[in-house]
Amino acid sequence: MIKRCFDFFVSFNLLIVLSLVILVTWLIVRFKLGSPAIFKQPRPGLNNKIFNVYKFRTMTDKRDVNGELLPDAERLTPFGKLLRKLSLDELPQLWNVLKGDMSFVGPRPLLVEYLPLYNERQAQRHKVRPGITGWAQVNGRNAISWEQKFEYDVWYVENQSFWLDIKILFLTVKKVFISEGISQEGQATIEKFKGSK
C-alpha cells in the first residue's frame, strides 16, 4: 500500500513538473523520427496481466526492399541513442505508473513472446508490478546475460522493501549520469531472449 501510494503521488507530480520536457521531447521525436512519437507495445505485468507500455520511439521505420523492418542497429539513430542514454525515452511510462500498470521499481516489463520461455524460477519476476528501473538495471542493465538479469529480478521479488526501492532509485540516477550498461556488446540494445538451457 505504501509503495502504491508513493508511485501514484510521485508519478502524478512528475507528470506535472516534467510536462514541458515531455512536450518538447514529443515534438523533437515527432520531427526527427516521425509519427507516432510515442509507441505502445503489449507487455506482461503483475501476474502476467497484459498492458500497453508507453515509450518515446528511438528508431525509424526504415525497411528493406521486401518491406521488412531493418535490424535495430540500422534503425537506431544518434538522436535515439541520446534519448536512451538520458533515459528520456522512458518518460511516458510515468503514465503507466500513475495508472498502476507499473511501479517505479520492479523487474522491467519484457516482450509477451518471452512468457513461455521462462523456467519456473524466472517466471517469479511477474509476482510484482514491473518497474521503470529495477535491481537488474542498477547491476548491469543490458550489459549482463539474460540469466543474470532474471536472477537479479527474482532476488528483488524475494527481498523487496520500500528502502530497497529508494536505494535502487538513487543508484538509477547514478547509472543515468555515467551512462553505463545501455547496450549489450555488439548489439543496439540486447539480443532477444531465446530461453535458458
Side-chain angles (χ1 to χ4, degrees):
M1 182 61 71
I2 294 176
K3 180 170 182 171
R4 179 63 195 134
C5 289
F6 174 85
D7 286 340
F8 182 88
F9 178 79
V10 176
S11 61
F12 179 81
N13 284 280
L14 282 178
L15 281 167
I16 295 173
V17 173
L18 297 176
S19 58
L20 183 59
V21 174
I22 293 171
L23 176 60
V24 170
T25 304
W26 182 88
L27 290 171
I28 297 174
V29 171
R30 176 71 178 78
F31 175 76
K32 284 185 167 288
L33 300 178
S35 180
I38 295 177
F39 81 93
K40 64 179 181 178
Q41 188 176 53
R43 299 284 176 95
L46 177 65
N47 298 321
N48 296 339
K49 182 181 178 182
I50 307 300
F51 70 98
N52 284 318
V53 68
Y54 299 96
K55 295 182 73 173
F56 280 121
R57 69 185 301 172
T58 56
M59 298 183 188
T60 66
D61 287 328
K62 288 183 179 178
R63 298 174 183 269
D64 61 21
V65 292
N66 298 316
E68 298 292 326
L69 283 173
L70 293 174
D72 289 356
E74 296 181 43
R75 295 188 296 120
L76 182 60
T77 66
F79 174 67
K81 290 179 181 178
L82 179 64
L83 285 179
R84 291 185 178 192
K85 181 179 179 179
L86 299 176
S87 294
L88 290 174
D89 60 318
E90 311 283 359
L91 286 178
Q93 288 173 46
L94 290 172
W95 176 246
N96 287 120
V97 176
L98 185 69
K99 287 171 58 187
D101 298 325
M102 294 176 63
S103 176
F104 278 105
V105 180
R108 286 292 296 161
L110 301 175
L111 299 177
V112 175
E113 66 190 70
Y114 293 169
L115 283 174
L117 302 178
Y118 299 132
N119 60 36
E120 187 176 345
R121 178 166 174 78
Q122 292 167 348
Q124 292 181 38
R125 67 192 309 278
H126 294 293
K127 288 185 175 180
V128 297
R129 281 189 179 89
I132 294 179
T133 186
W135 191 234
Q137 279 59 55
V138 298
N139 282 285
R141 201 171 174 181
N142 289 327
I144 58 177
S145 70
W146 282 111
E147 285 72 22
Q148 288 175 303
K149 187 176 294 191
F150 294 147
E151 271 304 310
Y152 284 129
D153 288 342
V154 175
W155 183 91
Y156 173 80
V157 172
E158 295 172 342
N159 296 275
Q160 61 179 311
S161 70
F162 181 73
W163 295 112
L164 177 59
D165 284 3
I166 298 300
K167 176 181 178 180
I168 291 172
L169 289 171
F170 275 110
L171 289 173
T172 298
V173 173
K174 177 184 175 184
K175 291 286 182 180
V176 170
F177 274 110
I178 63 177
S179 303
E180 188 177 64
I182 297 171
S183 61
Q184 188 179 53
E185 189 174 350
Q187 302 286 330
T189 50
I190 187 172
E191 64 178 347
K192 282 194 171 185
F193 178 57
K194 299 174 182 176
S196 300
K197 295 181 179 179

